[in-house]
Amino acid sequence: MKRLIKAVLIVTVFTLVDRVMGFGFKIYLSRELGAINMGIYQIALSVFFVLITFTTSGVPLVVSKLTAVFRKKGDLNSERGVVAAALIVGVASSGALCGIFLLFSKPIGGLFASFESMNLLLLLLPGVFFSGIYAAFRGNMWGNERYTAVSVFEVIEQIARIGLCVLLFLLGFNKLHATALTLSLACGVTAVLCAAYYFKTRKRLANPKPHLKPLLKTAGPITMIRASNTLVSSLIALAVPFLLVLSGLSSAESLAVFGSSIGMALPLLYLPVTVVGSLAYVMIPTLSAAHADGDVKSVRAQIESALTFSCVVAAVFIPAFTALGEPLGAFIYKNGGPEAGRFLALSGWLLIPIALESISSSMMNSLNLEKRSFVNYLIGASLMFGLMFGFWKSFRIEVLSVGLGLSWTVSTVLNILSIKKKTGIKLSFLMPLVKCIALIIPATALTAWVYTLASPLPAALKLSLAGFAGLGFFGALSLVFGIFDVSLIFKGRARRKNNPERRKNSPPLQM
């Protein structure tokens, strides 16, 4: 239990530091680039993430699982062989993708709202190659439970990127090009650090041949599932400016709206659910182990508690975003602030579907339901695009907010139904979810009231007072109504550890 809590805390702290730095850098970029250039960069970045996903997403997870198995058996040679196989897969796949985009840059660039997005993507391609190398070593570190090392290297990557970017800005480089190039260079820094760490601790590689086929067979479906997520993001980056232009905006105006909402506001929404992502990251091996052992009670307890925890973490921040979204956007961002703030205020409710979709997808992976998760996600995404294109020539950015919520909600509901069928959970998190939704209303009203009372104060102070008042009020009411008991997440693991024989008497999970 203590080990799991420690792992979650380590990952959460470092991830929070990384995201806060990234968010601060995003503010800096928005002020340096402006809303239009942020939109151009966001389009290139969305495609870059698709390439990263195809190259790396399934590899670290599979390498980590195999590493854990071989480590338990004391088979260091096989562990080294898996890393070598992952390196071959990463280098080959990233090299092939980079080659395709280099050869067909003109026709692909014609699909973007601005061809400058293609120029930026070409500068991002080295980052794809470096990430293919990084994935193999990261998976090994994850499988060996080197969470601190992985987290430190990711923070170093963020520091390197920010430092290099600011330096190039000061030297007078083209700001858009410098932004893309420094991301690639930062990926290179992480790849070098991870490789050095691996060879220091594991000394060398081994014969990859016996592990290539199993790695590809297992990583392939996971990669396709995760790639669908980033692919949808890229399609959104193409569809939103297109629909806005059809609805009467100029190309520059559509890019500015897109840059303000997706490039500026959406990262703010993801910041509070960092702890949910950390739980999902650490929960994969623990839930997988309980599932493999047939420990039904532990599986159900972990799932129910994690879903409840995710609901509370997400809901507690909704009042602040809903009540303070517009002044917060205006305060943080120089260019595009009002538009970003308006989108933030309208989209605060998305925190709950974001958190639940994230944690339920990780559960599906742990329970070997990856293919079902993929189908569920596609159903949600299809409904979103159907809604968006249903507003042909009358599209507004508010439709995107509703569409995202619809997509994540539908896929989450389908995921949870699949999990229920597999494990027999009782859906006990639904009552805390209803209570959380009910508490959002008075907490939002209190937040807005405190902000109004504090209107004579400086912007930073009144935003802080109002935000913390809402958070404190929501947290206090959550305790009063007994919505959540965090210890339940870890009780299943403790029971399984203290009673190793009990799994023999557990009924099998439903298939």
Side-chain angles (χ1 to χ4, degrees), residues 267-284:
L268 261 176
L269 286 175
Y270 277 98
L271 196 60
V273 293
T274 297
V275 66
V276 176
S278 300
L279 176 61
Y281 178 76
V282 176
M283 191 178 183
I284 287 176

Side-chain angles (χ1 to χ4, degrees), residues 332-506:
I332 292 176
Y333 298 111
K334 181 179 179 181
N335 297 309
E339 187 70 35
R342 191 169 66 87
F343 186 81
L344 193 62
L346 290 170
S347 305
W349 65 279
L350 291 177
L351 280 171
I352 290 179
I354 287 173
L356 289 178
E357 201 277 334
S358 173
I359 197 70
S360 66
S361 294
S362 293
M363 292 172 180
M364 295 283 280
N365 291 337
S366 299
L367 298 171
N368 299 322
L369 295 172
E370 295 94 345
K371 292 181 180 180
R372 184 69 250 177
S373 177
F374 175 63
V375 173
N376 294 345
Y377 183 81
L378 288 183
I379 292 172
S382 299
L383 292 173
M384 176 186 66
F385 282 111
L387 176 67
M388 289 169 58
F389 280 91
F391 285 82
W392 189 267
K393 293 188 178 182
S394 60
F395 181 83
R396 293 292 180 268
I397 200 65
E398 293 87 346
V399 178
L400 175 61
S401 176
V402 176
L404 289 170
L406 176 65
S407 173
W408 289 325
T409 300
V410 169
S411 60
T412 297
V413 169
L414 293 176
N415 283 347
I416 290 173
L417 290 176
S418 299
I419 292 169
K420 184 178 187 302
K421 182 178 179 180
K422 180 86 172 183
T423 66
I425 59 171
K426 302 301 182 182
L427 304 181
S428 61
F429 76 96
L430 289 178
M431 183 53 68
L433 174 59
V434 171
K435 292 179 180 179
C436 283
I437 293 173
L439 294 181
I440 288 171
I441 298 173
T444 300
L446 176 69
T447 303
W449 179 66
V450 172
Y451 182 79
T452 301
L453 288 179
S455 57
L457 300 175
L461 185 55
K462 62 184 178 183
L463 284 169
S464 299
L465 286 174
F468 282 116
L471 289 173
F473 181 71
F474 190 100
L477 289 180
S478 297
L479 292 174
V480 169
F481 288 100
I483 291 178
F484 180 67
D485 179 6
V486 70
S487 65
L488 290 177
I489 292 179
F490 309 107
K491 283 181 179 178
R493 180 180 173 89
R495 281 194 301 266
R496 191 163 46 87
K497 183 176 180 180
N498 295 330
N499 299 282
E501 295 300 320
R502 71 176 298 282
R503 62 176 179 265
K504 297 179 181 179
N505 301 319
S506 299

Side-chain angles (χ1 to χ4, degrees), residues 147-360:
Y147 299 121
T148 301
V150 174
S151 301
V152 168
F153 290 155
E154 290 179 352
V155 171
I156 292 174
E157 176 185 317
Q158 191 73 265
I159 293 172
R161 186 196 176 194
I162 294 172
L164 289 170
C165 191
V166 172
L167 177 62
L168 292 183
F169 281 10
L170 293 174
L171 292 175
F173 279 71
N174 180 293
K175 291 184 177 180
L176 266 177
H177 294 175
T179 302
L181 179 61
T182 51
L183 178 53
S184 286
L185 293 175
C187 291
V189 169
T190 314
V192 171
L193 288 174
C194 286
Y197 183 88
Y198 172 83
F199 286 110
K200 180 181 178 181
T201 57
R202 289 299 182 261
K203 308 302 180 185
R204 60 184 177 83
L205 300 172
N207 181 19
K209 190 174 180 180
H211 307 286
L212 275 171
K213 187 175 180 180
L215 178 67
L216 289 170
K217 183 178 179 180
T218 308
I222 298 173
T223 297
M224 295 306 297
I225 292 165
R226 296 189 175 182
S228 65
N229 195 330
T230 51
L231 184 59
V232 166
S233 298
S234 292
L235 292 176
I236 290 173
L238 296 175
V240 170
F242 172 74
L243 289 170
L244 288 171
V245 169
L246 280 181
S247 302
L249 297 184
S250 67
S251 178
E253 289 172 335
S254 67
L255 287 170
V257 171
F258 179 74
S260 299
S261 56
I262 301 300
M264 298 179 187
L266 209 56
L268 261 176
L269 286 175
Y270 277 98
L271 196 60
V273 293
T274 297
V275 66
V276 176
S278 300
L279 176 61
Y281 178 76
V282 176
M283 191 178 183
I284 287 176
T286 61
L287 186 58
S288 296
H291 174 55
D293 289 345
D295 191 347
V296 180
K297 193 171 183 179
S298 175
V299 168
R300 291 171 180 169
Q302 288 187 60
I303 290 172
E304 294 277 11
S305 300
L307 288 171
T308 303
F309 176 71
S310 301
C311 291
V312 176
V313 169
V316 73
F317 289 96
I318 291 178
F321 284 121
T322 303
L324 307 176
E326 293 192 31
L328 186 61
F331 173 72
I332 292 176
Y333 298 111
K334 181 179 179 181
N335 297 309
E339 187 70 35
R342 191 169 66 87
F343 186 81
L344 193 62
L346 290 170
S347 305
W349 65 279
L350 291 177
L351 280 171
I352 290 179
I354 287 173
L356 289 178
E357 201 277 334
S358 173
I359 197 70
S360 66

Side-chain angles (χ1 to χ4, degrees), residues 61-83:
L61 177 60
V62 176
V63 172
S64 70
K65 288 183 176 181
L66 293 176
T67 295
V69 171
F70 292 135
R71 179 169 59 89
K72 188 175 182 179
K73 294 179 179 178
D75 190 352
L76 182 59
N77 191 61
S78 293
E79 180 187 334
R80 291 167 172 169
V82 168
V83 176

